[in-house]
Amino acid sequence: MLNRLLSHDLPRNRWLALMLVVIVLGLALTPFVFPGTKALNVAAKVLVFIVLVASFDLLLGYTGIVSFAHTMFFGIGAYGIAIASTRLGPGWGAVVLGVVAALAVSLLLSLLIGLFSLRVKAIFFAMITLAVASAFLTLASQLSAFTGGEDGLNFKVPEALQPGTRYLEEPFLGASIDGRFASYYLLFFAALVLVLVMLRIVNSPFGRVLQAIRENDFRAEAIGYRTVVYRTLSNVLSALFATLAGCLLALWLRYNGPDTSLSFEIMLDILLIVVIGGMGTIYGAVVGGVLFLLAQSYLQDLMKLGASAVEGVPLLAPLISPDRWLLWLGILFVLSVYHFPSGVVGRLRAAATTNTTRRTAR
């Protein structure tokens, strides 16, 4: 049952399997175990980024295409929900219309980008996508009548997801059963389903062709596969999943603006998470997303504790100052790349393969 659910793509390493179980259980039980507002926001952001990074890895890790337009599709999803909810008011009809409209726009744009740009190679395609994403960011900032400009859009979600909606008067196991609780589990189950769908795609015959194109597109073309068609389809699928991730973000924040979903900093975060977790594996998005976002959210708090412990020490106190948390985040990233060049998941799976080979040789 589990094998089929994971599309016959098991972790293949006991430590990786344990890590994934802890992550899934931790995210599933966050409202009960960590009921604070910050913990819930971090967990929700992790869920959104797992879907977003996995969708990007579908393009980069499995097909070998470098694109800088991924946040554009992420922003289209968030703006679809924001604009529809602002214009039509809170309601499930507005949410459905926003999702459908965002998916339609992303489908059209990704098809155009794929058909006109994927015939060029490597860095040229990346530059084209960067130009398109920059143009879209400028457009979103200037069309203030629709997008709210730099201020963005605040909107209301359906009543069932509003924080003021209470399903139980008293907390249950320490968690308030309200609209925020319902919103979180909507994100959790949506992210779980989307990750399983992507896992199925990459382990299907279609996914095997994408990996063949990544390894050697000339050979894939020579044996009869129309690589431009497959690369375009990969671009479209990646864009649609990123759009759905943007929809989830907007539903959680009840706000969207250029810096929230279209910022180039988000693209950098996606690239860092892919490298940390490991390219060419959906599990890498899960592990990398959790590790990176936990470090990004709590490293400064940990450094505050460390700074208070070494207060007065001449060299150590300034070095562990919370103001330098970005420096330490960069150091941690460099160390992770040095010790895990193929990512955490890639390293663990390689170790498992080596151990299996040694046992077989004996």
Side-chain angles (χ1 to χ4, degrees):
M1 176 65 181
L2 180 62
N3 199 18
R4 292 182 62 185
L5 189 65
L6 298 178
S7 303
H8 305 282
D9 187 5
L10 296 175
R12 300 199 296 273
N13 180 285
R14 67 181 66 181
W15 292 109
L16 176 58
L18 179 62
M19 194 180 300
L20 291 171
V21 169
V22 170
I23 288 172
V24 173
L25 289 178
L27 290 172
L29 299 175
T30 294
F32 300 101
V33 181
F34 308 104
T37 302
K38 181 176 180 178
L40 205 60
N41 284 327
V42 171
K45 188 176 180 181
V46 166
L47 291 169
V48 171
F49 265 78
I50 284 174
V51 177
L52 180 61
V53 174
S55 67
F56 182 72
D57 199 38
L58 183 65
L59 196 62
L60 176 64
Y62 285 92
T63 319
I65 299 172
V66 180
S67 170
F68 293 120
H70 210 63
T71 50
M72 178 180 71
F73 301 112
F74 185 55
I76 288 172
Y79 271 115
I81 295 289
I83 294 172
S85 298
T86 302
R87 299 280 173 170
L88 302 177
W92 290 108
V95 172
V96 172
L97 180 61
V99 171
V100 172
L103 289 174
V105 173
S106 292
L107 175 63
L108 180 62
L109 281 175
S110 59
L111 270 175
L112 289 174
I113 291 172
L115 293 175
F116 289 105
S117 305
L118 281 172
R119 293 180 182 274
V120 299
K121 301 297 180 182
I123 191 65
F124 302 105
F125 174 73
M127 291 299 101
I128 290 172
T129 58
L130 179 60
V132 173
S134 299
F136 193 86
L137 175 59
T138 303
L139 197 63
S141 300
Q142 293 181 352
L143 293 177
S144 55
F146 293 97
T147 64
E150 295 292 339
D151 295 330
L153 294 171
N154 287 292
F155 58 93
K156 291 183 178 181
V157 293
E159 187 177 356
L161 304 180
Q162 292 178 10
T165 302
R166 289 197 167 273
Y167 295 100
L168 292 178
E169 292 300 325
E170 298 296 328
F172 177 71
L173 298 178
S176 298
I177 313 302
D178 52 15
R180 205 66 170 157
F181 181 89
S183 296
Y184 179 79
Y185 279 104
L186 174 63
L187 261 66
F188 176 79
F189 287 110
L192 183 63
V193 169
L194 291 173
V195 167
L196 291 176
V197 170
M198 282 187 274
L199 203 57
R200 181 71 191 108
I201 289 172
V202 299
N203 288 288
S204 67
F206 172 78
R208 301 303 182 194
V209 175
L210 295 184
Q211 293 173 59
I213 293 171
R214 177 195 65 195
E215 296 300 325
N216 193 320
D217 58 342
F218 295 107
R219 186 173 296 175
E221 186 91 44
I223 61 177
Y225 294 111
R226 297 187 62 185
T227 56
V228 172
V229 173
Y230 280 91
R231 285 155 67 93
T232 302
L233 288 174
S234 174
N235 191 51
V236 169
L237 287 172
S238 175
L240 294 180
F241 282 112
T243 302
L244 291 172
C247 293
L248 295 178
L249 178 71
L251 283 174
W252 178 257
L253 294 180
R254 291 166 290 144
Y255 164 82
N256 188 53
D259 292 336
T260 307
S261 57
L262 292 171
S263 170
F264 191 69
E265 291 180 5
I266 298 175
M267 192 69 240
L268 293 178
D269 289 347
I270 294 171
L271 290 169
L272 291 175
I273 292 170
V274 167
V275 172
I276 293 170
M279 287 190 291
T281 166
I282 299 298
Y283 296 129
V286 178
V287 175
V290 170
L291 292 177
F292 180 81
L293 290 171
L294 284 180
Q296 190 183 59
S297 302
Y298 291 105
L299 182 60
Q300 192 172 18
D301 294 337
L302 289 174
M303 290 183 66
K304 285 180 182 177
L305 295 175
S308 61
V310 296
E311 188 176 359
V313 179
L315 292 176
L316 202 56
L319 201 59
I320 307 183
S321 170
D323 296 334
R324 293 182 171 81
W325 73 276
L326 276 174
L327 169 67
W328 286 101
L329 185 64
I331 292 173
L332 289 175
F333 173 70
V334 171
L335 290 175
S336 68
V337 172
Y338 180 78
H339 291 287
F340 300 94
S342 57
V344 175
V345 174
R347 178 67 179 271
L348 291 175
R349 282 186 160 179
T353 303
T354 302
N355 293 335
T356 303
T357 303
R358 286 176 180 173
R359 286 197 296 268
T360 305
R362 291 174 184 174

